[in-house]
Structures are given as structure tokens and as C-alpha cells.
Amino acid sequence: MIELIDKNGFVFAFLLVGLIMFISFQVSKRVLFGRIPGVAVAILIGLALATLGGKKGISDIPLFAGMAFLGGSMLRDFTVVATAMGADLSKIKSAGLAGVIALVAGVFVSFFLGVLVAWALGYRDAVELTTIGAGACTYIVGPVTGTALGASTDIIAISVAIGLVKTVVTTIATPLIAQKIGLTNANSALVFGGLLGTSSGVTAGLAATDPKLVPYGALTATFYTGLGCLLCPSVFYLVLQTFF
């Protein structure tokens, strides 16, 4: 069995990730009753498994060497691009000016709040501040930005963790505050997705609030990820580099 896996490490990596995703969604559905999305559970499991290896995480163990390629930057960035390509730019017009403002404001506020927290915790390097700030946007924008700027794996891991916390909080808090903030129609869902941007958190939170709102929130949340991947390692980094 071990010899077979050694010869087919990449295929085994797909199998392993498939099992992790299956277990994660079962735990989310049957144990957590949908309060925390399966994606968030999977990320927690992934972070835990990463501690089992060395510098390259679990892929340092020969049996799981295929994870080095499957979890590498190329396939990760390909996934981000594929997700963004699934959205029709013309549909963003349905959100109107409010949706556009929500997108820009959402990325800007999340990023600089993350930067302020990182600065308060003692980080002063522009690359580190940018990566952590990007993680505050989403757990996808963080590693994409960190890789583009050459951040260390520790900083990238922190950015993922910040994005994960945001996802979990969004999932749990959305149904609790929906009525209070007027999150009851398609237009408000479009703005909501643009402000928070964490696709899995917004989707799960809206599903628990009103399933009819999910497509609208998911639409702007997808654009949020793409916009964050564009702005964080470029414009926002140059701004921080000026001061740090």
C-alpha cells in the first residue's frame, strides 16, 4: 500500500483532501448544526495537520509528499481565478451604486483594520502588515498577497487564521443581527456580501437567515475576493511601503 501511494502521491493527495472535506461537512451538518460552515472546519483540520510536518507542513512526511503540489501557490491561485471567472460582471449592476461602494469600502476597511491590529501587536514590516491586512479581507486574499510579496509561511498562516475567524463570526452572527440591520431583501444581501466578502461565511450566514438571499450575497462576495487579490499586493502594499 505504501509503495503504491509513493508512486501516486498526487492522486493520494486528492483522496486525502476529499476525505477531509467529507468529514468536515459531516461535522458541520451533524455536530455543529450548520453554525460553522464545512469549509471553516476543513481549514481548521488543515492547519492542525500542517503542524505535523516540518517547514513545508505535512508534505515533509514522504507519505503525504503529493500535498506539496496540491497545496502549492499555482493550484491555489488557479482556484481563485476560476471562482472569479464564474461571476458575470454585468450582474454587478443589479447591486447599483450601493453595491459598488460596499465592495470598495469593504475591502478598504477590512484591510486597514487588519493592518492596525498587526501594528498594535508589534509588526512593522510592510510585507507582514500587508499580508495580515489582506487576511482580514478573506483567508484567500491573505495567502495570495503573502505569496506575491514573499512573506514568510508564519505570516501567511496568521493571515489564513484571521480570515478563518472572520468567516466563523460572520456565519454565526448573520442570522442573529439580520433583522436589526435590515438584511431582509436582495439589495441588502448584495451590499452585505460586498461589505464582508468572506464567501463561505456570507453564504452560510445568509442560508441560516433566508436561503433566497444566498445568491445575491455570494455574488458580491465573489467580486470582493477578486478585488482584494488585485488591490492588496499592489496599491495597498505601496501605500504601506511609503510609511514603513
Side-chain angles (χ1 to χ4, degrees):
M1 178 67 74
I2 294 176
E3 183 179 350
L4 180 65
I5 292 173
D6 283 340
K7 293 180 179 179
N8 300 275
F10 188 50
V11 177
F12 179 66
F14 269 104
L15 174 62
L16 181 62
V17 171
L19 288 173
I20 292 174
M21 294 300 294
F22 176 76
I23 293 171
S24 300
F25 277 88
Q26 291 300 311
V27 170
S28 174
K29 179 180 179 180
R30 302 180 186 278
V31 180
L32 303 174
F33 304 105
R35 292 186 178 89
I36 298 178
V39 172
V41 177
I43 292 175
L44 285 172
I45 294 175
L47 290 173
L49 290 176
T51 64
L52 299 179
K55 185 177 181 181
K56 295 183 179 180
I58 195 174
S59 63
D60 282 339
I61 302 174
L63 189 64
F64 305 108
M67 295 294 287
F69 183 72
L70 186 60
S73 59
M74 183 180 72
L75 283 180
R76 182 204 62 213
D77 294 347
F78 173 80
T79 304
V80 174
V81 173
T83 302
M85 289 295 290
D88 185 358
L89 187 60
S90 63
K91 292 182 179 179
I92 196 65
K93 295 179 181 178
S94 62
L97 181 61
V100 175
I101 294 175
L103 272 173
V104 176
V107 174
F108 182 87
V109 172
S110 293
F111 177 82
F112 284 101
L113 279 177
V115 170
L116 287 174
V117 171
W119 185 85
L121 293 175
Y123 294 97
R124 296 294 183 269
D125 181 71
V127 171
E128 295 177 344
L129 289 170
T130 304
T131 302
I132 295 174
C137 293
T138 76
Y139 57 74
I140 295 177
V141 178
V144 168
T145 301
T147 302
L149 299 178
S152 67
T153 54
D154 292 342
I155 297 298
I156 292 176
I158 291 173
S159 75
V160 173
I162 293 173
L164 178 60
V165 171
K166 181 180 180 180
T167 295
V168 173
V169 171
T170 301
T171 302
I172 296 174
T174 299
L176 300 177
I177 66 172
Q179 292 295 328
K180 297 179 181 179
I181 64 175
L183 187 56
T184 57
N185 54 68
N187 287 335
S188 60
L190 284 164
V191 173
F192 183 74
L195 284 173
L196 292 180
T198 170
S199 299
S200 54
V202 167
T203 301
L206 289 178
T209 303
D210 183 354
K212 295 179 181 179
L213 301 178
V214 172
Y216 302 99
L219 176 67
T220 44
T222 300
F223 280 102
Y224 180 107
T225 299
L227 186 62
C229 288
L230 286 173
L231 292 178
C232 290
S234 57
V235 177
F236 290 168
Y237 170 65
L238 293 175
V239 171
L240 289 181
Q241 195 177 38
T242 302
F243 296 97
F244 300 94

